[in-house]
Amino acid sequence: VETGTWPLAGMLFVVGLGLGLFMQILVLSVQNTVPFEHMGVGTASVTFFRTLGGAVGSAVLGAILILQERNSLPRFQHTYGKGVEAVHHAFVFGIDRTFEYSVPVAVLAFLLSFLMKEVRLRSNARPAETGGAVGKAGAGEGGGGADGSHRPLLSGEGFIR
């Protein structure tokens, strides 16, 4: 029931690296699929649902952990006595069961990812070309004016009416 500091640090590094790389891909895919004028809403929605999912997931998995630990503690107390060792083993058992319950959810999420429509990545940060038509903000949809010229996107022109 003991893991050394360095092996634990290595495992946490791998988990953090994997999650960090995955979260950026998730944000990029949402930003790539929503219309340019709704990119802020799409990005905020990713953050909101990630936070909500983390809160609900932590609550559900925490409840499973406590339930499994509480139900297995008498068995471990019978084996190891009423000391700290029995509590440690019950906790480890609860963690193991929690991960076992989360595997089907992860597999389902993986399988559902195959239903996502493949969308080619945008090649620039400008809205899609519409033949020089004037958009809602007063600038052409190509990032420039109504004449089709391309001015820098962050020039501030057309963002405030």
Side-chain angles (χ1 to χ4, degrees), residues 86-155:
V87 175
H88 283 158
H89 282 282
F91 181 76
V92 169
F93 178 79
I95 287 284
D96 288 345
R97 293 301 296 236
T98 301
F99 278 106
E100 288 173 10
Y101 282 120
S102 64
V103 167
V105 175
V107 169
L108 179 65
F110 178 71
L111 293 175
L112 286 174
S113 72
F114 288 106
L115 298 176
M116 292 176 58
K117 185 175 108 175
E118 185 175 344
V119 177
R120 186 179 178 132
L121 286 176
R122 293 180 184 149
S123 60
N124 59 27
R126 292 188 200 48
E129 288 285 345
T130 60
V134 176
K136 295 177 186 174
E141 292 293 310
D147 61 352
S149 63
H150 292 281
R151 289 187 284 273
L153 182 64
L154 299 176
S155 67

Side-chain angles (χ1 to χ4, degrees), residues 16-36:
L17 184 66
L19 280 175
L21 293 173
F22 171 73
M23 293 300 177
Q24 295 307 315
I25 297 297
L26 178 63
V27 171
L28 178 65
S29 65
V30 167
Q31 288 177 341
N32 189 59
T33 55
V34 299
F36 185 78

Side-chain angles (χ1 to χ4, degrees), residues 48-69:
F48 172 74
F49 286 111
R50 182 188 312 155
T51 304
L52 182 65
V56 171
S58 296
V60 169
L61 293 177
I64 292 171
L65 169 65
I66 297 301
L67 180 68
Q68 294 298 320
E69 183 180 8

